[in-house]
């Protein structure tokens, strides 16, 4: 019985177990980043799929592995605290340095809805990290008290507080106005781009008067603040048309190429999911150029 009680009164033993498990658990993850073998997008066929069809976890993995030096840096930011956790004198500093890493990894797994196994592992590592800090709470309290004691020497200046508050409010107000306007910028052609549901207009019919033209792959995208882009048989086409303007009162759409600030004017109409553009092709022959597009909402998953 005495041996059991004596064993339970050994916090250093429990701390040693926790910090070793955390350190040895983090080292493999650190090494796989340093060797750049963790953030690899597989299968390779994913590289040729449209972003809309790729899962969020695959996109996140690709993003994290895009920069080689950043991936290696993340590895060392995990390896150094892990090594510090192996030594009693550097345990606290190692746990403090490790906390941003374990917390960030856990939040990324949850926010980006990565795999269940990685969510569970990241949660365990975070809890181990917090456990080490709990064991070291007395040392943390002492550090906080020293900081507070030093901070008391410097009293807040009322004038400084007022000036800083005014500056933050003014800068924040003027900085937010264009951002809010941009966030709310949308029309019947753009769709809800802010919530990842822009509209793709797919060309279904093209003709001059009643004469049908050969079918072609053509998809138009109208963005915020008049940005315009389109896809064709050869991928993204962005050389001839860069922007547009919309006059709802006149039902008039103008497409602007880089070399012509006047732009090409079309009359437009939208009915149900169909966009119809019409412009004069040859005034002398009274020929009209007509395009018909079908609306498709991109990323329509929810």
């Amino acid at each position: 019985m005495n041996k059991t009680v004596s064993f339970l009164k050994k916090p250093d033993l429990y701390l040693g177990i926790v910090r070793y498990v955390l350190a040895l658990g983090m080292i493999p993850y650190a090494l796989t980043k340093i060797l750049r073998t963790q953030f690899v997008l597989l299968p390779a066929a994913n590289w040729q799929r449209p972003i809309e069809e790729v899962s969020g976890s695959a996109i996140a993995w690709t993003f994290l592995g895009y920069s080689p030096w950043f991936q290696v840096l993340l590895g060392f930011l995990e390896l150094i605290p892990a090594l510090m956790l192996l030594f009693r004198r550097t345990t606290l500093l190692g746990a403090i340095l490790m906390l941003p890493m374990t917390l960030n990894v856990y939040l990324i797994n949850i926010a980006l809805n990565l795999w269940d196994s990685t969510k569970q592992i990241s949660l365990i590592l975070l809890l181990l990290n917090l456990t080490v800090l709990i064991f070291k709470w007395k040392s943390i309290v002492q550090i906080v008290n020293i900081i507070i004691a030093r901070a008391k020497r410097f009293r807040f200046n009322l004038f400084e507080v007022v000036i800083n508050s005014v500056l933050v409010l003014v800068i924040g107000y003027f900085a937010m106005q264009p951002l809010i306007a941009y966030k709310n910028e949308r029309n019947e052609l753009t769709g809800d781009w802010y919530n990842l549901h822009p509209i793709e207009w797919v060309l279904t019919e093209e003709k001059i008067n009643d004469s049908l033209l050969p079918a072609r792959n053509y998809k138009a995208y109208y963005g915020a603040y008049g940005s315009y882009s389109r896809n064709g048989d050869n991928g993204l086409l962005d050389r001839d048309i860069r922007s547009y303007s919309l006059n709802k009162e006149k039902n008039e759409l103008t497409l602007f190429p880089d070399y012509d600030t006047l732009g090409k004017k079309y009359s437009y109409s939208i009915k149900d999911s169909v966009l119809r553009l019409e412009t004069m092709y040859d005034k002398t022959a009274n020929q009209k150029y007509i395009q018909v597009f079908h609306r498709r909402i991109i990323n329509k998953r929810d």
Side-chain angles (χ1 to χ4, degrees):
M1 183 68 178
N2 291 333
K3 290 183 178 179
T4 303
V5 174
S6 176
F7 178 78
L8 294 176
K9 291 183 178 180
K10 294 181 178 179
D12 289 342
L13 174 62
Y14 308 139
L15 172 59
I17 294 173
V18 173
R19 64 187 176 88
Y20 263 83
V21 172
L22 176 58
L24 298 179
M26 289 298 299
I27 287 175
Y29 285 102
L31 293 177
T32 192
K33 291 181 180 68
I34 293 172
L35 297 176
R36 295 168 48 200
T37 58
Q38 181 175 13
F39 301 124
V40 179
L41 180 62
L42 295 173
N46 278 327
W47 288 94
Q48 295 301 316
R49 295 173 61 191
I51 292 178
E52 184 184 6
E53 298 177 3
V54 180
S55 66
S57 57
I59 293 175
W61 222 240
T62 306
F63 163 75
L64 292 171
Y66 177 75
S67 174
W69 70 264
F70 183 70
Q71 186 176 172
V72 173
L73 175 63
L74 290 178
F76 279 106
L77 291 176
E78 291 178 350
L79 179 63
I80 293 172
L83 295 177
M84 296 178 73
L85 284 168
L86 296 176
F87 301 92
R88 285 176 292 180
R89 298 193 65 175
T90 56
T91 294
L92 178 57
L93 182 57
I96 292 174
L97 294 176
M98 184 67 80
L99 183 61
M101 302 304 298
T102 55
L103 179 60
N104 184 55
V105 169
Y106 174 71
L107 292 177
I108 286 177
N109 275 275
I110 297 300
L112 301 182
N113 194 25
L114 299 183
W115 303 273
D116 290 338
S117 58
T118 61
K119 291 179 184 178
Q120 295 167 3
I121 294 172
S122 64
L123 176 59
I124 292 172
L125 293 173
L126 175 60
L127 293 177
L128 288 171
N129 199 162
L130 292 173
T131 302
V132 174
L133 293 174
I134 290 173
F135 272 108
K136 288 289 187 177
W137 71 271
K138 290 183 179 180
S139 299
I140 295 173
V141 170
Q142 291 176 356
I143 294 172
V144 172
N145 287 335
I146 292 173
I147 295 173
I148 293 175
R150 292 183 177 180
K152 288 180 179 179
R153 301 176 186 176
F154 303 96
R155 296 183 178 180
F156 282 106
N157 185 301
L158 181 59
F159 177 76
E160 186 180 26
V161 172
V162 172
I163 291 297
N164 287 339
S165 299
V166 171
L167 286 174
V168 170
L169 290 174
V170 171
I171 296 298
Y173 174 79
F174 285 105
M176 287 183 64
Q177 293 309 304
L179 297 177
I180 293 175
Y182 179 62
K183 173 178 176 287
N184 296 327
E185 177 73 20
R186 59 176 57 90
N187 57 51
E188 55 192 337
L189 295 179
T190 65
D192 189 7
W193 64 270
Y194 180 75
N195 292 306
L196 307 181
H197 301 299
I199 292 175
E200 176 183 75
W201 294 100
V202 182
L203 181 67
T204 57
E205 186 178 280
E206 195 171 22
K207 59 185 179 179
I208 297 177
N209 284 351
D210 294 327
S211 301
L212 284 173
L213 298 176
R216 60 182 177 132
N217 180 22
Y218 186 105
K219 300 173 183 178
Y221 308 88
Y222 299 87
Y225 283 129
S227 63
Y228 177 88
S229 59
R230 63 192 179 101
N231 274 330
D233 291 321
N234 297 321
L236 183 64
L237 305 175
D238 60 354
R239 296 180 180 178
D240 52 352
I241 302 174
R242 291 293 184 90
S243 62
Y244 75 98
S245 67
L246 201 62
N247 189 327
K248 294 184 179 181
E249 295 179 356
K250 296 182 178 180
N251 290 328
E252 187 176 83
L253 170 69
T254 306
L255 299 178
F256 297 95
D258 288 342
Y259 54 83
D260 184 2
T261 56
L262 295 178
K264 182 72 172 178
K265 295 184 183 297
Y266 295 79
S267 62
Y268 81 95
S269 62
I270 298 178
K271 185 176 181 180
D272 296 329
S273 297
V274 176
L275 167 66
R276 178 186 172 93
L277 300 182
E278 183 178 309
T279 190
M280 190 60 67
Y281 179 75
D282 187 341
K283 290 184 178 180
T284 58
N286 194 29
Q287 291 181 326
K288 294 181 179 179
Y289 175 56
I290 301 168
Q291 289 180 307
V292 179
F293 295 84
H294 177 75
R295 178 175 61 198
R296 186 181 78 87
I297 300 176
I298 296 177
N299 199 32
K300 191 176 181 180
R301 298 176 181 174
D302 44 25

